[in-house]
């Protein structure tokens, strides 16, 4: 795929698989694609294939097992596991049994698991292993509605016995017996699902209070995935990665359900740490990820280039320069002449193809970024490699993407026009982006007052994002309404622009810009451990752990140089004057990070108030 071939990325406007509920679409797809591969998962170093027929048989056994346990239409089951094949099997089985499926982040603590299971009234909880089981067992006395706990992997539970706990294998055995005695019951349950019925709960991250359970109907999900195919068409020949949390709207809708509808193959990574390795093995033809992943790939290439020989550096610089010239032409809607095409093909042969293979995107027809803002410079870098990068914007409550940048008219820094299946407009008073359409959620579970605050009387979903719109109908997010900084001098600052520029550095993983009601801007910075560690080792900078690394003066100088680079792009009043480094390496288990690895601004400001005050001499 070359950038000038984007016209070949045609949307699919036909109905690929009939059905108005998730269950109907799945079972119709399984019948149609029986012998084709649907999923792959790496086990003991080998990729194991799941055909549609094998998937359907497993879903039937689990679904019949739920019926044997007395699972009724409308009952809720929660899934507490990493992104594995069994997650998908359990999810589709719960829906086929007429139930409501709820996902829980595997990084959630026991107290969060308790709240989510209680709020969703979960009758059954599927857990991945003994670690996740321990969380449920620790709180089950406060969950009177919980009836059964099903464990996917019982390797660490050989001597464990509990009447409330059973293995997935045991549930399937129950299901086979129940299916023989009642061969049509599951089919009848699945057929009885209606488009208006509640299908899934997706809990928000709860950065401003308790998580809220966003309710999505069968009909809303099917409507949305059909809409997805009209903006980024996929089919049974496509290979996808499945690695983001399945309880997040991005992977649930854009990964699992979109693959169910289109037939594209889902490849499950071994674990979050093996994503770079697994991408190179799979070489997906369509790759959807959050900005943190795209930033990480760029950083690894930047470091590799710096460590290469002068000839390789020169080839990369020349090739990227040619790629940027091609990107400039395509972005301007101008034809790419034969001379420039030939130069780009040479650039690919000399350098850029190696970069694409290093990342694992050498077969990608296009890439999709979403779930958080991304630096326009980063988008341009991928375009220079010859890979169309489509940006989508949406939220849990809108079932995922509500705007998109067409591959044929990408504008870095813009989130594109409204997707054809919904309306998007700016509030004339506040410039807040509003969404309306059948993809908008049913409301928040057990919280009618929060629902009323979010969806107005005319059906518009209030997103909390502030933006602008150009003459082509493309939207641009300037910031979250609650995040806009007003300095002591009265200057309005959108911190996300500065933060995105900082994250473009290979040495900075994340940053939070501070300055509301302050005389100047400061920043709290989280370093990229791998790259900064190598920087220190190459220069014989002594350190013993993460904390000592962040306290080393050469590391502070390195980060300040990156900040100065960003400052040069902004007016004096918008420049960062001081910074401090987080001295603890954070992971998804830490409260400062969302499950999608974004720093929580308000919590960071509160938790590190003393260090922030110190930067202002308080």
């Amino acid at each position: 795929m070359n950038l000038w071939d984007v016209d070949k990325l045609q949307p699919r406007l036909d109905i690929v698989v009939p059905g108005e509920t998730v269950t109907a679409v799945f079972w119709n797809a399984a019948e149609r694609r029986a012998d084709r591969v649907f999923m792959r998962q790496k086990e003991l170093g080998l990729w194991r294939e799941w055909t549609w027929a094998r998937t359907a048989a497993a879903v039937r056994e689990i679904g019949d097992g739920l019926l044997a346990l007395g699972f009724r239409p409308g009952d809720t089951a929660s899934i507490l596991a990493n992104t594995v094949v069994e997650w998908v099997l359990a999810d589709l089985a719960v829906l086929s049994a007429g139930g409501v499926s709820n996902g829980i982040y595997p990084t959630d603590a026991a107290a969060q698991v308790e709240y989510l299971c209680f709020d969703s009234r979960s009758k059954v909880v599927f857990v991945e292993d003994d670690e996740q089981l321990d969380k449920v067992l620790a709180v089950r006395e406060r969950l009177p509605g919980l009836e059964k706990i099903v464990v996917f992997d019982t390797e660490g539970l050989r001597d464990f016995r509990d009447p409330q706990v059973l293995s997935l294998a045991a549930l399937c055995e129950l299901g086979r017996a129940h299916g023989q005695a009642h061969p049509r019951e599951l089919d009848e349950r699945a057929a009885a699902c209606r488009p208006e019925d509640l299908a899934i709960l997706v809990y928000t991250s709860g950065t401003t209070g308790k998580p809220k359970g966003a309710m999505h109907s069968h009909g809303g999900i099917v409507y949305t995935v059909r809409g997805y195919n009209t903006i980024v068409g996929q089919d049974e020949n496509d290979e996808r990665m499945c690695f983001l949390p399945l309880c997040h709207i991005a992977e649930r809708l854009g990964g699992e359900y979109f693959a169910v509808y289109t037939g594209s193959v889902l490849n499950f990574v071994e674990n979050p740490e093996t994503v770079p390795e697994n991408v190179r093995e799979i070489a997906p033809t369509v790759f959807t990820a959050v900005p943190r992943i795209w930033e990480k790939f760029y950083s690894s290439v930047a470091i590799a280039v710096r460590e290469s020989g002068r000839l390789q550096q020169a080839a990369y610089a020349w090739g990227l320069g040619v790629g940027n010239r091609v990107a400039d032409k395509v972005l301007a809607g101008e034809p790419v002449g034969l001379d420039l095409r030939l130069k780009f093909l040479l650039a690919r042969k000399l350098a850029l193809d190696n970069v694409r293979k290093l990342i694992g995107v050498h077969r990608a027809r296009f890439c999709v970024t979403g779930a958080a803002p991304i630096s326009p410079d980063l988008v341009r870098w991928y375009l220079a490699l010859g890979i169309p990068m489509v940006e989508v914007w949406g939220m849990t409550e809108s079932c995922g993407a509500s705007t998109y940048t067409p591959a044929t008219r990408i504008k870095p820094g813009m989130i594109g026009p409204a997707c054809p299946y919904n309306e998007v407009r700016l509030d004339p008073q506040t410039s807040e982006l509003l969404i309306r359409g059948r993809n908008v959620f049913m409301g928040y579970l057990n919280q009618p007052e929060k629902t009323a605050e979010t969806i107005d009387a005319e059906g518009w979903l209030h997103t909390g994002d502030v933006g602008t719109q150009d003459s082509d109908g493309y939207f641009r997010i300037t910031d979250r309404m609650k995040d806009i900084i007003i300095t002591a001098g009265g200057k309005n600052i959108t911190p996300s622009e500065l933060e995105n520029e900082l994250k473009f550095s290979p040495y900075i993983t994340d940053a939070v810009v501070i300055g509301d009601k302050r005389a100047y801007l400061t920043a709290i910075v989280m370093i990229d451990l791998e790259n900064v560690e190598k920087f220190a080792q190459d220069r014989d900078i002594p350190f013993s752990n993460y904390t000592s690394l962040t306290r080393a003066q050469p590391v502070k100088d390195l980060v300040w140089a990156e900040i100065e680079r960003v400052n040069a792009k902004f007016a004096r009043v918008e420049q960062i004057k001081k910074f401090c480094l987080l001295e603890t390496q954070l992971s998804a288990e830490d409260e400062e990070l969302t499950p999608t690895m974004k720093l929580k601004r308000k919590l960071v400001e509160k938790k590190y108030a003393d260090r922030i005050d110190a930067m202002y001499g308080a």
Side-chain angles (χ1 to χ4, degrees):
M1 180 78 190
N2 290 302
L3 206 55
W4 56 77
D5 294 323
V6 289
D7 287 338
K8 297 178 181 178
L9 298 175
Q10 294 299 320
R12 289 285 300 268
L13 303 178
D14 58 320
I15 301 296
V16 177
V17 179
E20 298 305 317
T21 63
V22 179
T23 49
V25 170
F26 168 70
W27 288 105
N28 287 336
E31 183 178 7
R32 176 181 297 185
R33 304 178 183 130
D35 296 327
R36 295 188 68 95
V37 174
F38 175 38
M39 299 184 289
R40 293 193 194 94
Q41 184 160 283
K42 199 170 187 181
E43 299 173 10
L44 302 176
L46 298 174
W47 288 95
R48 310 288 185 180
E49 293 184 345
W50 283 75
T51 64
W52 280 87
R54 182 186 177 192
T55 302
V59 169
R60 182 171 295 280
E61 287 181 353
I62 298 170
D64 276 328
L66 289 171
L67 299 185
L69 294 178
F71 194 76
R72 296 177 295 276
D75 282 351
T76 299
S78 289
I79 306 171
L80 174 58
N82 284 287
T83 301
V84 291
V85 162
E86 290 83 0
W87 211 112
V88 173
L89 301 178
D91 182 46
L92 294 171
V94 170
L95 296 178
S96 295
V100 178
S101 179
N102 172 51
I104 303 177
Y105 286 102
T107 52
D108 280 353
Q112 294 166 305
V113 172
E114 177 188 349
Y115 172 79
L116 296 176
C117 290
F118 185 85
D119 191 63
S120 63
R121 302 186 184 94
S122 293
K123 295 290 183 67
V124 176
V125 178
F126 291 89
V127 300
E128 183 175 4
D129 51 24
D130 54 333
E131 177 187 353
Q132 303 299 347
L133 174 62
D134 285 342
K135 297 176 185 178
V136 182
L137 294 179
V139 299
R140 64 173 167 178
E141 290 182 357
R142 297 186 291 277
L143 297 173
L146 180 61
E147 296 174 359
K148 285 290 180 183
I149 307 168
V150 182
V151 187
F152 294 158
D153 180 2
T154 59
E155 184 178 350
L157 299 166
R158 287 192 179 91
D159 299 321
F160 178 82
R161 300 290 183 272
D162 189 299
Q164 198 175 18
V165 180
L166 73 162
S167 67
L168 183 65
L171 180 68
C172 288
E173 189 176 339
L174 280 177
R176 287 190 290 272
H178 187 88
Q180 290 175 356
H182 309 276
R184 295 191 53 80
E185 186 178 1
L186 188 68
D187 292 329
E188 291 168 356
R189 282 279 188 97
C193 293
R194 299 168 299 173
E196 62 270 24
D197 288 344
L198 174 61
I200 67 172
L201 294 170
V202 181
Y203 276 85
T204 62
S205 59
T207 56
T208 56
K210 288 286 189 183
K212 301 184 293 291
M215 301 185 290
H216 287 286
S217 68
H218 279 273
I221 293 169
V222 172
Y223 174 79
T224 303
V225 294
R226 283 181 179 156
Y228 281 4
N229 227 24
T230 67
I231 60 174
V232 283
Q234 296 170 46
D235 59 30
E236 296 170 358
N237 297 311
D238 278 310
E239 299 272 350
R240 295 185 58 95
M241 293 276 290
C242 193
F243 67 100
L244 298 173
L246 275 163
C247 44
H248 190 276
I249 198 71
E251 196 70 88
R252 192 78 160 279
L253 265 291
E256 178 190 350
Y257 296 149
F258 197 25
V260 167
Y261 180 64
T262 62
S264 52
V265 180
L266 284 177
N267 295 277
F268 291 75
V269 301
E270 294 168 86
N271 58 66
E273 286 71 40
T274 62
V275 168
E277 175 190 338
N278 293 154
V279 173
R280 289 190 289 270
E281 290 179 279
I282 295 162
T285 61
V286 177
F287 194 0
T288 300
V290 296
R292 177 66 62 86
I293 299 296
W294 302 122
E295 292 158 2
K296 191 71 176 174
F297 288 158
Y298 166 77
S299 295
S300 65
V301 171
I303 297 300
V305 170
R306 290 181 191 182
E307 294 176 349
S308 62
R310 290 185 178 180
L311 186 61
Q312 290 172 305
Q313 290 179 355
Y316 172 77
W318 179 79
L320 204 61
V322 173
N324 275 314
R325 287 168 56 194
V326 171
D328 288 340
K329 290 284 188 182
V330 174
L331 292 175
E334 300 173 0
V336 180
L338 179 61
D339 180 59
L340 187 54
R341 290 190 184 202
L342 292 175
K343 285 182 178 178
F344 183 74
L345 293 176
L346 179 60
R348 284 191 60 174
K349 188 176 183 64
L350 291 177
L352 301 186
D353 277 354
N354 289 334
V355 174
R356 290 161 66 140
K357 288 177 182 176
L358 177 64
I359 299 172
V361 295
H362 47 288
R363 291 203 304 155
R365 296 189 295 117
F366 61 92
C367 295
V368 182
T369 182
I374 189 170
S375 166
D377 289 340
L378 190 59
V379 173
R380 286 189 60 90
W381 184 76
Y382 282 94
L383 294 176
L385 295 181
I387 303 167
M389 176 164 277
V390 175
E391 186 166 2
V392 297
W393 167 86
M395 55 195 304
T396 297
E397 292 82 350
S398 66
C399 227
S402 285
T403 72
Y404 76 112
T405 53
T408 52
R409 192 73 174 90
I410 296 170
K411 294 185 180 183
M414 309 288 281
I415 57 170
C419 294
Y421 50 82
N422 65 191
E423 302 172 77
V424 179
R425 71 178 179 93
L426 296 177
D427 185 289
Q429 276 74 46
T430 64
S431 294
E432 179 185 13
L433 274 78
L434 310 177
I435 303 169
R436 185 168 65 182
R438 286 171 56 193
N439 53 310
V440 171
F441 76 145
M442 302 165 69
Y444 295 117
L445 181 70
N446 305 325
Q447 299 194 47
E449 69 290 341
K450 291 291 185 182
T451 301
E453 291 174 11
T454 307
I455 304 177
D456 65 26
E458 296 180 350
W460 289 101
L461 170 65
H462 289 247
T463 67
D465 281 331
V466 180
T468 60
Q469 188 176 23
D470 69 9
S471 58
D472 293 327
Y474 279 55
F475 292 96
R476 177 174 176 268
I477 300 294
T478 53
D479 223 311
R480 294 288 293 170
M481 291 180 70
K482 60 186 180 184
D483 290 343
I484 292 176
I485 291 172
I486 303 177
T487 66
K491 175 67 176 177
N492 281 30
I493 307 287
T494 54
S496 63
E497 291 187 39
L498 282 157
E499 291 160 358
N500 286 336
E501 290 288 347
L502 289 171
K503 288 187 287 184
F504 190 53
S505 163
Y507 302 110
I508 296 174
T509 294
D510 211 341
V512 171
V513 173
I514 312 293
D516 197 45
K517 301 180 179 66
R518 308 272 194 171
Y520 52 86
L521 300 183
T522 60
I524 295 178
V525 176
M526 184 163 65
I527 63 169
D528 184 295
L529 174 60
E530 183 179 346
N531 292 338
V532 173
E533 190 175 55
K534 189 162 194 332
F535 168 85
Q537 290 170 342
D538 290 347
R539 289 156 182 80
D540 295 323
I541 299 168
F543 68 95
S544 58
N545 54 28
Y546 186 90
T547 300
S548 65
L549 182 66
T550 62
R551 292 177 179 175
Q553 190 58 47
V555 170
K556 293 180 180 179
D557 294 340
L558 171 70
V559 173
W560 179 246
E562 295 297 298
I563 292 174
E564 287 277 64
R565 175 186 59 79
V566 171
N567 278 341
K569 300 182 179 183
F570 292 87
R572 183 175 296 274
V573 72
E574 298 173 312
Q575 293 180 357
I576 296 166
K577 305 301 183 186
K578 296 182 181 180
F579 77 99
C580 68
L581 298 179
L582 288 180
E583 295 183 349
T584 304
Q585 186 179 7
L586 301 178
S587 66
E589 285 85 357
D590 293 292
E591 60 179 353
E592 295 98 316
L593 288 178
T594 69
T596 50
M597 303 300 286
K598 294 178 288 187
L599 279 172
K600 299 178 182 178
R601 182 182 306 279
K602 298 302 181 186
L603 198 150
V604 166
E605 290 180 2
K606 181 179 179 181
K607 186 167 183 175
Y608 301 100
D610 290 345
R611 300 196 68 188
I612 293 170
D613 288 342
M615 289 191 286
Y616 291 96

